[in-house]
Amino acid sequence: MVIQIHYYTTPVIKLTQNNTIHDALLIMQKNEIKRVVIADNDVPLGIVTERDIGSFLEKDKTRRMLNEIILSQIMTKNPVTLTVGQEDHLIQCAIRMETFQVSSIIVVDDNGKLVGITTKSDLVKNFANLYTGMYNVRDYMTKKLITCRKSDSLLYVLNMLNKNKIARIVVTDSYGKPIGVVTYDLFMKHSEYFKMDKQTDTRSYLLPKDSNKEMQIGELLGNELLTVDSEEDLAKAAKLMSLYKISGIPTVDRKGNLEGVISSTDITRAYSEVEIHSRLIKKDPHFV
């Protein structure tokens, strides 16, 4: 069987420095993406993620509307890049993501022009295809995590995400077993901001209208939760993430007790180390 390797996404969704947060949110929601590249004549100048937007608005005291704040004020400048055509492209991307703590690498040609973008999702998809049987989930899962109860308010949970600068919170029942996962995507999916006629008249784009801000997080959760056994193959967890288009899965023991979370960040870390481990194993099988 020939394994298809996906190095980067193209074309890239991009905006200019003079576009606004409002523009970025709409294009992210429409294309189901988490970031946009800021470019001028195909030369990448920066990148804006959904977390960048949330962090900026939390600190900004001016109370400007979302269509009044241009992206040059919030973008991460001098984005991490990689020149197209390198044989170890994915390994290099994983190493750069780990080193610079970023979630994407912009791919450019020899003239610095934008070619594509490699994200953690790309690494997850390729890891699932290339490294079956290399690691178990427990080898890389994050054991330290923050949880909440389904009775907690939307505002409380959103504040927890922002305060702790994390991508997800696991919702547990009264016995401590996982029943759901809360991410920015969940808030975006249920946001009324994209349904309103006057989409620019609020900064609370992740929350319902004021009258509903005390809604409980349990009201947004589905009836089923995807989990993975901590003893399972890490490549299987990566395949599940890619299949369901998610960036993290709660990990459980054989009795269904919560043990941690395996995320695209964890798989990126594994990707950055897998070639070194493969060489060591070839030289010394006892390394396993």
Side-chain angles (χ1 to χ4, degrees):
M1 182 180 71
V2 178
I3 297 176
Q4 295 292 327
I5 301 178
H6 179 73
Y7 290 102
Y8 53 84
T9 300
T10 185
V12 183
I13 304 296
K14 56 189 178 181
L15 291 173
T16 72
Q17 295 184 81
N18 293 322
N19 282 112
T20 67
I21 288 180
H22 173 72
D23 300 328
L25 286 174
L26 289 185
I27 205 167
M28 286 181 188
Q29 198 265 352
K30 179 181 179 181
N31 293 278
E32 296 183 344
I33 55 176
K34 299 178 183 294
R35 63 191 60 78
V36 291
V37 174
I38 311 304
D40 181 17
N41 293 324
D42 282 335
V43 175
L45 303 176
I47 195 163
V48 172
T49 68
E50 59 184 17
R51 183 176 292 184
D52 291 332
I53 294 173
S55 297
F56 177 85
L57 293 176
E58 187 179 14
K59 298 174 183 177
D60 181 45
K61 305 302 181 183
T62 65
R63 310 311 299 171
R64 291 171 293 173
M65 296 298 101
L66 302 186
N67 64 335
E68 299 175 327
I69 306 172
I70 60 175
L71 297 181
S72 62
Q73 295 180 260
I74 70 170
M75 70 181 188
T76 299
K77 299 179 181 178
N78 302 315
V80 183
T81 62
L82 184 65
T83 304
V84 69
Q86 297 193 31
E87 290 184 7
D88 58 348
H89 177 97
L90 295 173
I91 296 293
Q92 289 296 325
C93 284
I95 292 172
R96 282 167 167 76
M97 288 180 192
E98 272 292 286
T99 302
F100 297 104
Q101 291 296 292
V102 294
S103 58
S104 60
I105 303 296
I106 295 177
V107 184
V108 297
D109 63 17
D110 292 334
N111 297 315
K113 296 281 189 175
L114 184 62
V115 172
I117 187 168
T118 298
T119 67
K120 287 182 179 178
S121 296
D122 295 319
L123 296 186
V124 167
K125 183 176 182 179
N126 285 288
F127 190 95
N129 292 329
L130 296 174
Y131 298 112
T132 301
M134 188 69 187
Y135 304 117
N136 288 337
V137 170
R138 60 176 163 77
D139 295 328
Y140 281 92
M141 69 182 190
T142 300
K143 295 181 180 179
K144 184 179 180 180
L145 71 164
I146 293 175
T147 64
C148 70
R149 297 294 178 88
K150 64 180 181 180
S151 58
D152 287 328
S153 72
L154 302 189
L155 183 58
Y156 171 80
V157 177
L158 181 58
N159 285 339
M160 289 290 286
L161 284 170
N162 289 330
K163 178 181 178 181
N164 293 282
K165 298 180 180 179
I166 52 178
R168 67 193 53 82
I169 293 178
V170 178
V171 186
T172 61
D173 62 16
S174 56
Y175 299 100
K177 293 191 175 183
I179 59 173
V181 176
V182 180
T183 64
Y184 281 112
D185 287 344
L186 184 66
F187 284 97
M188 294 277 277
K189 181 180 178 181
H190 291 87
S191 173
E192 296 177 5
Y193 178 82
F194 304 101
K195 302 174 184 176
M196 298 189 308
D197 293 331
K198 296 182 179 179
Q199 294 163 320
T200 57
D201 65 355
T202 178
R203 288 166 61 102
S204 300
Y205 67 98
L206 289 179
L207 289 174
K209 294 178 181 178
D210 292 341
S211 59
N212 295 324
K213 283 187 177 180
E214 291 307 312
M215 284 175 59
Q216 296 179 353
I217 199 66
E219 297 179 51
L220 302 187
L221 298 179
N223 295 322
E224 296 183 1
L225 172 66
L226 180 66
T227 62
V228 63
D229 193 305
S230 59
E231 298 299 322
E232 189 57 82
D233 188 343
L234 183 60
K236 179 180 178 180
K239 186 173 183 179
L240 289 172
M241 287 185 208
S242 185
L243 179 63
Y244 290 99
K245 297 181 179 180
I246 55 178
S247 60
I249 307 174
T251 62
V252 296
D253 61 19
R254 298 295 168 83
K255 295 182 180 180
N257 297 311
L258 181 64
E259 290 197 325
V261 169
I262 188 71
S263 70
S264 58
T265 298
D266 300 319
I267 292 178
T268 297
R269 180 161 55 92
Y271 215 127
S272 70
E273 299 173 348
V274 69
E275 283 302 313
I276 293 175
H277 291 170
S278 296
R279 292 168 191 162
L280 288 172
I281 290 170
K282 288 178 181 178
K283 291 182 179 180
D284 181 5
H286 296 92
F287 179 78
V288 181

